[in-house]
Amino acid sequence: MADIEMEEDHPRLILHNFLTEDECKELEFIHKSCSTIGYRPNVFSTTLSHLIATNSAHLIIPFLPIRDRLKEKVEETFGCEYELVTEFTGLISWSRGASIGWHSDDNRPYLKQRDFTAVCYLNSYGKDFEGGLFHFQDGEPKTIAPMVGDAVIYTADGRNTHSVDEVTSGERLTLTLWFSRDSSHDEDAKLILLLEENVLHKSNNVPWSLLPLPASDNMYWFSPHQASNQDIGFDIRLGRLHALGFDVYYSRDMNFGSDLSELLMEPMQLARRDQLLDHKFVNVLHSLQDANLKLSQTRFNPARRFDYHDHNQRRLLRLV
Ligand SMILES: O=C(O)CCC(=O)C(=O)O
Ligand SMILES: [Fe+2]
């Protein structure tokens, strides 16, 4: 998998095809559904704590095997088996105008616990975005063109000073992790505390206490070239439900001509192979949360176009 010998002065390694395209798509879906304003201009992020805080803790599940595989690889590569904890896991997207100058990842007093970095590329330079090349200041390799599934791992100290060129078009998406030898910086401890506060201690009497909060509407839309050529466009929440085998059903006539984002926040039910399922959901995100939980093993297929079917009393929203 590795294509270079590691230089002692600049301990780093590139791992080609570390993630499958399906894993990358699954993480991209989570990011499109859940991300929030990130740590730099034109950057959006989805951290595991953000997923818990927005009642989407179940979406942490796909991260876990990837995180463990990466930690093992970093430990094996840098000879520190069983010594590391994961300090941070997050999806980060860089849109046009985003960049970062020369830096090392432990370059602030409050970042000194970071020992190793892993960046996995979830989409590709030249296909999904332009610009956004990664450079190491010294040593080899010097420049990395992000390619879907590839990962780069390196020490977080001054031996691996690096930068990212400005993204000039499209969106560059990464899964970024930092690992620490200091077990007091284990992100799991913080996540479990958050889970306790946000999920386990919520009263069962409070209806919809686990309702996911919608992000801004444009987070759910595919860009025009990925969307259908139908007027109505393409919404990733519906795409996801469809990939899991569901259609969306409304118990009263809906005006499908109105704003789709508003429609998707209306109470609804799921239909499967023309069978209406009993459970009533508060909105489409709520149904998605449930469908994801039940079917978290189901593979994600890039979703197809959807269409309104008004033959069924204008109540069924179905993908075609
Ligand atoms: O996304 C990358 O390739 C690296 C990002 C980076 O340097 C950072 O987040 O510190
Ligand atoms: Fe960095």
Side-chain angles (χ1 to χ4, degrees):
M1 208 184 270
D3 73 347
I4 55 156
E5 286 297 308
M6 203 158 46
E7 281 186 57
E8 260 179 39
D9 291 346
H10 310 290
R12 65 184 68 146
L13 198 59
I14 302 194
L15 310 163
H16 291 296
N17 301 315
F18 187 82
L19 299 181
T20 65
E21 285 205 30
D22 275 358
E23 285 172 320
C24 296
K25 274 264 165 272
E26 182 80 44
L27 296 178
E28 181 185 7
F29 164 76
I30 293 171
H31 189 67
K32 285 205 172 218
S33 316
C34 302
S35 68
T36 187
I37 305 287
Y39 66 115
R40 307 177 65 78
N42 309 315
V43 166
F44 288 82
S45 75
T46 304
T47 62
L48 301 191
S49 50
H50 177 70
L51 288 174
I52 296 172
T54 53
N55 290 326
S56 300
H58 58 288
L59 292 179
I60 290 178
I61 293 167
F63 288 84
L64 301 180
I66 296 173
R67 211 174 60 144
D68 284 352
R69 253 162 58 210
L70 266 174
K71 181 150 78 77
E72 272 171 32
K73 192 71 200 172
V74 168
E75 286 179 337
E76 178 197 313
T77 306
F78 300 105
C80 46
E81 279 91 345
Y82 308 113
E83 284 179 25
L84 301 182
V85 294
T86 310
E87 189 242 8
F88 173 90
T89 305
L91 300 169
I92 302 177
S93 64
W94 306 60
S95 51
R96 193 155 66 90
S99 67
I100 187 166
W102 295 119
H103 69 283
S104 64
D105 288 345
D106 69 351
N107 68 351
R108 295 272 185 285
Y110 58 88
L111 300 178
K112 284 292 167 212
Q113 71 279 4
R114 292 180 177 175
D115 290 304
F116 300 99
T117 307
V119 181
C120 301
Y121 295 110
L122 304 183
N123 62 9
S124 299
Y125 167 81
K127 176 168 170 273
D128 302 298
F129 60 90
E130 298 292 340
L133 290 173
F134 176 102
H135 305 283
F136 283 113
Q137 196 167 41
D138 306 297
E140 294 298 326
K142 202 141 230 125
T143 294
I144 296 172
M147 287 295 151
V148 62
D150 288 358
V152 53
I153 57 180
Y154 50 91
T155 60
D157 56 22
R159 291 175 294 176
N160 280 310
T161 299
H162 58 277
S163 66
V164 177
D165 289 348
E166 184 174 318
V167 173
T168 52
S169 69
E171 197 168 60
R172 175 189 193 270
L173 182 62
T174 63
L175 169 67
T176 299
L177 294 93
W178 281 287
F179 299 103
S180 176
R181 287 197 170 87
D182 180 347
S183 61
S184 70
H185 286 277
D186 188 347
E187 74 173 344
D188 284 355
K190 291 168 201 143
L191 296 176
I192 286 168
L193 268 180
L194 260 179
L195 269 170
E196 269 188 50
E197 282 165 19
N198 281 272
V199 180
L200 305 177
H201 288 171
K202 274 192 175 146
S203 160
N204 289 338
N205 301 329
V206 180
W208 321 122
S209 61
L210 293 178
L211 253 191
L213 307 173
S216 65
D217 284 341
N218 63 7
M219 295 311 305
Y220 302 107
W221 288 88
F222 271 98
S223 57
H225 69 277
Q226 291 170 293
S228 77
N229 51 15
Q230 290 166 293
D231 289 347
I232 199 159
F234 181 83
D235 182 280
I236 196 165
R237 293 165 292 189
L238 288 176
R240 176 69 179 180
L241 279 171
H242 177 75
L244 296 172
F246 297 104
D247 293 311
V248 172
Y249 179 84
Y250 292 95
S251 61
R252 61 189 172 88
D253 281 3
M254 304 302 296
N255 178 5
F256 288 152
S258 66
D259 183 348
L260 183 70
S261 303
E262 280 175 27
L263 180 68
L264 294 177
M265 284 295 114
E266 292 289 322
M268 42 70 69
Q269 282 166 269
L270 291 176
R272 188 157 212 192
R273 284 186 228 97
D274 288 333
Q275 197 193 352
L276 186 62
L277 308 183
D278 288 339
H279 197 93
K280 294 192 172 62
F281 296 99
V282 151
N283 61 34
V284 79
L285 279 170
H286 185 210
S287 74
L288 194 50
Q289 185 179 54
D290 202 60
N292 266 317
L293 264 183
K294 289 204 181 85
L295 298 166
S296 56
Q297 301 311 323
T298 308
R299 278 158 62 94
F300 174 61
N301 297 314
R304 306 202 307 257
R305 298 182 293 196
F306 66 88
D307 198 13
Y308 295 133
H309 281 243
D310 62 9
H311 62 265
N312 193 5
Q313 295 151 324
R314 313 192 333 151
R315 290 176 180 175
L316 199 58
L317 201 50
R318 173 172 267 163
L319 286 118
V320 291

